[in-house]
Amino acid sequence: MRAKRKRRLILSGLLLVGIGTAVTLTLLALNKNINLFYTPTQVEAGEAPVNQSIRVGGLVEKGSVSRDKKGLTVRFKVTDTARTVAIEYTGILPDLFREGQGIVAQGRLNERGVFIADTVLAKHDENYMPPEVADALQTAKAMRVTK
Amino acid sequence: MAATDGLPEQNREDIYRHMWNFFHRLGSPVYFYRWAGKAIPWCWGVTALLLLSGLYLGLVVAPTDYQQGDSYRIIFIHVPSAWMSMFIYVVIAVCGFITLVWRMKMADVMARASAPIGAMFTFTALVTGSLWGKPMWGTWWIWDARLTSELVLLFLYLGYMALLSAIEDRKMAARAGAILALVGVINIPIIHYSVDWWNTLHQGSTVTKFSKPSIDISMLIPLLLMALAFQLYYFSAVMMRARSTLLIQERRAHWVRELPEVNAP
């Protein structure tokens, strides 16, 4: 009886290890396809295909947003703090869209390297705090910069 | 805890041995049935208290978020549901492991009783996430690694339940289910680390990480209260389900036939 139980223990353990290995290898092989978007660095390096529906993600660069006088077209740049990609989008932006905000845009990269988006999604980070705390943090940061 | 009653002056080792014995005895259907019957009303009571205080602190007292305004408050349902969906799956997998190796009857009963509750929490996490995603992200759904792996978890639960009910022989069903549960448990670390391993639309971890939680204490407290409330809800519900499963499964056993509630006219 003991020996039987030991054998089952080993078999169950092996099952777990085997599946773990198989899944790890699969995920490693699929790594690129599981990422939701290309970063500006990847786009710059030519890793993103041109004229194919893809997603690009990053932070909206400060001071880069320009809205069309007539119509809903918006031009802005996203950055991963190393490289930037210019994005053009016609439509309604999500509420959270603002400079410095993380976004994910779906669309196509044209030959000039401009990303023509047909959807823009806002990404919010993992920080939650009351507005007063956010303000206090901002002021503290500004103080440090001016010093 | 009831098990440590009557030996207040014992040293620590004895208490550990006593607790181990207590868990050992919970492995016996008769003892579990009796003990759970007593524990269930208490569990429900604590659940209600935690739920009420968590909801009050979360929906009334907690301040609005600097970015998301009041919409973030769905976090108090969404995050505890998602945590429970993963926790319950791990419970099922551990029960599966025990079933495969030690063939314990109660492990199978607990796994069986847990599955629908886990599926419900997974569903709740997906639906509340979707309701949250539309106003914040701008979409109900996106096939990113976090959302997709959580959807796979729902399918694992449904598949597990379907497999158990498809096999008539109880022991066979228990073993087949245990193997499926063990195969699927690999999805749990994938769900948790998906936001670190790949880039996703879903945010990274706020609380369950090694650094300090990046949520204000006034929001963290109701979140943890709600998480505890959901945990206690699970304990209450799973004990009730396990008790009724036991009654059906063991209906021919002496101890069931002698129960006053079974013999009641």
Side-chain angles (χ1 to χ4, degrees):
Chain A
M1 200 57 204
R2 265 275 149 81
K4 235 181 175 178
R5 204 173 291 167
K6 200 171 170 189
R7 209 186 61 214
R8 294 198 298 244
L9 185 67
I10 293 168
L11 274 177
S12 306
L14 280 179
L15 175 78
L16 274 175
V17 173
I19 290 158
T21 322
V23 172
T24 310
L25 290 175
T26 317
L27 290 179
L28 281 176
L30 290 174
N31 206 9
K32 273 188 181 167
N33 299 311
I34 301 176
N35 279 321
L36 186 71
F37 52 81
Y38 289 96
T39 61
T41 304
Q42 287 175 309
V43 174
E44 194 112 323
E47 281 175 45
V50 172
N51 264 327
Q52 261 185 46
S53 186
I54 54 164
R55 292 194 197 93
V56 169
L59 304 172
V60 180
E61 198 173 46
K62 294 234 158 79
S64 74
V65 182
S66 75
R67 286 165 206 270
D68 225 14
K69 289 276 170 333
K70 332 161 227 174
L72 287 169
T73 304
V74 191
R75 287 181 192 82
F76 58 92
K77 286 183 179 143
V78 292
T79 175
D80 54 5
T81 65
R83 300 271 186 277
T84 62
V85 170
I87 296 187
E88 212 179 290
Y89 172 67
T90 306
I92 296 162
L93 289 163
D95 289 349
L96 278 183
F97 183 92
R98 66 192 75 163
E99 288 176 2
Q101 185 73 38
I103 61 116
V104 175
Q106 173 142 26
R108 285 157 207 277
L109 200 62
N110 70 14
E111 285 82 2
R112 289 178 294 119
V114 176
F115 191 77
I116 312 295
D118 31 60
T119 330
V120 172
L121 302 174
K123 192 171 147 74
H124 63 79
D125 60 17
E126 64 274 24
N127 299 310
Y128 293 88
M129 55 186 135
E132 308 86 69
V133 176
D135 288 345
L137 282 179
Q138 279 286 325
T139 345
K141 208 173 157 195
M143 297 260 285
R144 233 174 296 139
V145 171
T146 47
K147 262 182 196 170
Chain B
M1 191 153 287
T4 48
D5 285 349
L7 55 145
E9 301 298 311
Q10 295 284 354
N11 62 28
R12 192 167 277 186
E13 224 168 86
D14 266 349
I15 293 177
Y16 283 152
R17 194 178 314 132
H18 207 79
M19 279 183 65
W20 175 246
N21 284 342
F22 166 70
F23 281 118
H24 225 251
R25 265 181 294 163
L26 273 188
S28 120
V30 193
Y31 189 84
F32 172 86
Y33 184 88
R34 247 188 273 139
W35 186 84
K38 278 184 237 152
I40 285 168
W42 292 97
C43 262
W44 278 123
V46 179
T47 307
L49 276 179
L50 286 167
L51 203 62
L52 286 175
S53 53
L55 281 175
Y56 177 71
L57 287 180
L59 300 184
V60 182
V61 177
T64 55
D65 180 56
Y66 77 115
Q67 271 207 325
Q68 303 189 41
D70 272 321
S71 312
Y72 91 94
R73 290 184 201 275
I74 202 165
I75 201 176
F76 300 122
I77 306 289
H78 175 73
V79 168
S81 305
W83 284 343
M84 288 312 295
S85 72
M86 296 195 275
F87 173 79
I88 295 175
Y89 197 90
V90 172
V91 170
I92 295 179
V94 170
C95 286
F97 193 79
I98 296 174
T99 303
L100 283 183
V101 179
W102 291 281
R103 305 275 146 91
M104 243 173 86
K105 202 185 270 173
M106 271 318 290
D108 168 43
V109 172
M110 287 310 274
R112 206 178 270 254
S114 295
I117 309 172
M120 179 205 71
F121 278 122
T122 316
F123 185 74
T124 312
L126 286 168
V127 170
T128 52
S130 182
L131 291 174
W132 194 1
K134 185 62 185 171
M136 288 304 129
W137 296 340
T139 182
W140 300 105
W141 182 261
I142 191 158
W143 293 100
D144 82 355
R146 172 56 71 84
L147 277 66
T148 309
S149 53
E150 183 75 10
L151 184 65
V152 169
L153 182 65
L154 179 65
F155 293 152
L156 277 171
Y157 273 119
L158 298 181
Y160 178 80
M161 283 150 65
L163 184 65
L164 285 190
S165 54
I167 303 174
E168 212 139 306
D169 181 63
R170 200 188 59 80
K171 281 182 184 158
M172 280 288 288
R175 274 173 228 172
I179 291 172
L180 177 62
L182 278 188
V183 171
V185 82
I186 189 76
N187 191 33
I188 298 298
I190 296 178
I191 296 176
H192 181 75
Y193 289 108
S194 56
V195 289
D196 300 328
W197 290 342
W198 304 290
N199 59 45
T200 54
L201 187 62
H202 193 282
Q203 62 159 86
S205 298
T206 295
V207 181
T208 51
K209 56 184 177 185
F210 288 113
S211 47
K212 193 172 158 282
S214 39
I215 178 167
D216 194 81
I217 189 80
S218 56
M219 304 161 169
L220 180 63
I221 289 169
L223 180 61
L224 295 180
L225 278 177
M226 288 301 283
L228 261 180
F230 280 26
Q231 187 80 52
L232 263 292
Y233 167 84
Y234 163 63
F235 288 152
S236 324
V238 82
M239 283 194 286
M240 288 182 80
R241 292 184 53 83
R243 266 165 60 99
S244 53
T245 310
L246 273 179
L247 282 187
I248 298 169
Q249 227 168 65
E250 311 279 295
R251 60 189 174 278
R252 287 191 192 84
H254 253 286
W255 69 270
V256 172
R257 283 202 245 164
E258 280 162 13
L259 283 173
E261 58 262 44
V262 171
N263 283 323

